[in-house]
Structure formats: structure tokens, C-alpha cells
Amino acid sequence: MVTDATDKELIHLYLQGEHSAFDALMLRHQPRVKHLVSCHVQDPNLISDITQDVFVQVLRYLAQFHGNSGFYTWVYRITINIINNHLKKRSTEVLHMDYSFAESHLDQTQLHNDIGPEQITIYTELIHGLTGVLNHMPTDLSLTILLRSVTGLNYTDIAAIMDCPIGTVRSRLFHARAMILAVVRVAI
């Protein structure tokens, strides 16, 4: 069955004329792509448009994918390029990161632990401070920290996605973490 196939097998099937193979690829990777886009774009319609643009580009260039990196790495790289192009076109728009998962974690923490109002206030201020830092951080730093901390990619994959050396990834992570640490120190 097409949905049980690996990415590489699906690509091969699509290139052999099995169009449902691309649908399977898209369904497999669309949630992660949409999540990545939603971390940088506020408008839900724009999130859908950019996500669709990503898969249009993937479809357009799928025959050129040689498998030198993982398919998801290649798709993420296309996603990052489209997000960067979007941000350049709309340079007056403030970069928006959606960290609602942190606030939902606060709700879970309240349910499972008996934390007091003071801790809730500190946690809420920390979330808002971090969001502010990430929203005003240079795009290359915020994308790098997002790919590492939220998506969980390793340095090699991030370097491939961002089209930079691993040393640059480490440097960007260092600077992003330093900016975040400064906010954490102020909040606590």
C-alpha cells in the first residue's frame, strides 16, 4: 500500500506515474510544514497559502531531489526559503511566533501540580518575555532555535535546511540561547 512506503519509495512511485504517491507524501509531511509556517506567520489564510506553495514547489522540483539528504530536510529547506521570501516581501510585518503550546503546558501544569498564583504569574511573564525575544530575534537565529528546540532536528539537518555550515548553526544557537537566557534571568 502507498501509505506504508518510505519517502524514497513514494518519490519513485510518483516519478513512475503513480500520482497518489505524491498525495501520500504530502499528507505525511504537511502537518510538520504547516506547524513550521505557523510559527512565523499569524494569518491562518496565509499559513495555508504558504503551506500550499511549499508543496507546489516540492511537486515542481521533485524530479530534482537526489536523496543526498532526507526528504523531510529537503522539504524543510524549501519551507524555510518560502518563509524567508514571504518575510522579505512583507518586511513591515512583525515576525510572529506562536508559542501557544507553552500556555497549554501551563494549563496542564495547573491540572497536575498544585502550583500557586505566584508561580503562574512568573511562568506567564516568562512565556511572554520569550515570545517577545523570539519575535524580535533576527530570522536566521529564530529559525535555527525553532528547528533545534521545537522541531528537534540535529545540527546536520539544520545546516542542510539553512544551507550553512554546522559551525554557523552552533553559533546561531549560541546567540539565540544567550538572548533567551537574558530574558529568563530578568523574569526570575
Side-chain angles (χ1 to χ4, degrees):
M1 188 170 188
V2 172
T3 56
D4 295 335
T6 66
D7 289 345
K8 191 173 186 174
E9 292 168 338
L10 289 172
I11 293 167
H12 180 74
L13 286 170
Y14 175 76
L15 294 175
Q16 298 301 316
E18 181 64 45
H19 296 289
S20 64
F22 184 78
D23 294 339
L25 274 173
M26 191 172 85
L27 288 173
R28 182 177 293 168
H29 295 283
Q30 187 175 25
R32 289 172 34 181
V33 168
K34 191 170 188 173
H35 175 72
L36 180 61
V37 173
S38 70
C39 288
H40 297 280
V41 178
Q42 187 172 8
D43 180 3
N45 294 325
L46 202 49
I47 292 168
S48 295
D49 289 348
I50 291 173
T51 302
Q52 184 176 9
D53 287 348
V54 168
F55 286 100
V56 166
Q57 292 298 318
V58 168
L59 181 61
R60 180 178 292 157
Y61 296 106
L62 191 58
Q64 296 176 12
F65 175 70
H66 299 293
N68 298 337
S69 63
F71 179 71
Y72 72 93
T73 303
W74 185 70
V75 171
Y76 270 33
R77 187 175 197 176
I78 290 171
T79 305
I80 297 297
N81 288 339
I82 290 175
I83 289 170
N84 283 336
N85 289 340
H86 166 74
L87 292 175
K88 285 177 189 173
K89 287 179 188 174
R90 304 182 96 194
S91 61
T92 57
E93 179 181 319
V94 175
L95 178 63
H96 170 77
M97 297 250 184
D98 179 11
Y99 287 94
S100 57
F101 67 86
E103 296 206 10
S104 69
H105 175 70
L106 177 60
D107 294 338
Q108 292 298 320
T109 303
Q110 285 177 283
L111 290 174
H112 297 293
N113 299 323
D114 189 23
I115 62 173
E118 183 178 323
Q119 289 88 1
I120 292 171
T121 302
I122 290 170
Y123 191 81
T124 303
E125 288 176 9
L126 182 61
I127 291 170
H128 291 291
L130 288 172
T131 302
V133 167
L134 290 167
N135 285 340
H136 293 94
M137 193 179 282
T139 304
D140 59 344
L141 297 182
S142 63
L143 285 173
T144 304
I145 197 84
L146 172 75
L147 291 171
R148 179 68 180 149
S149 300
V150 177
T151 311
L153 295 175
N154 62 40
Y155 291 3
T156 304
D157 289 342
I158 295 170
I161 290 166
M162 302 286 293
D163 194 25
C164 65
I166 290 176
T168 301
V169 170
R170 289 186 176 139
S171 174
R172 288 175 181 172
L173 286 171
F174 173 81
H175 291 293
R177 288 174 179 151
M179 293 173 81
I180 292 169
L181 187 58
V183 170
V184 171
R185 285 185 181 144
V186 170
I188 53 175

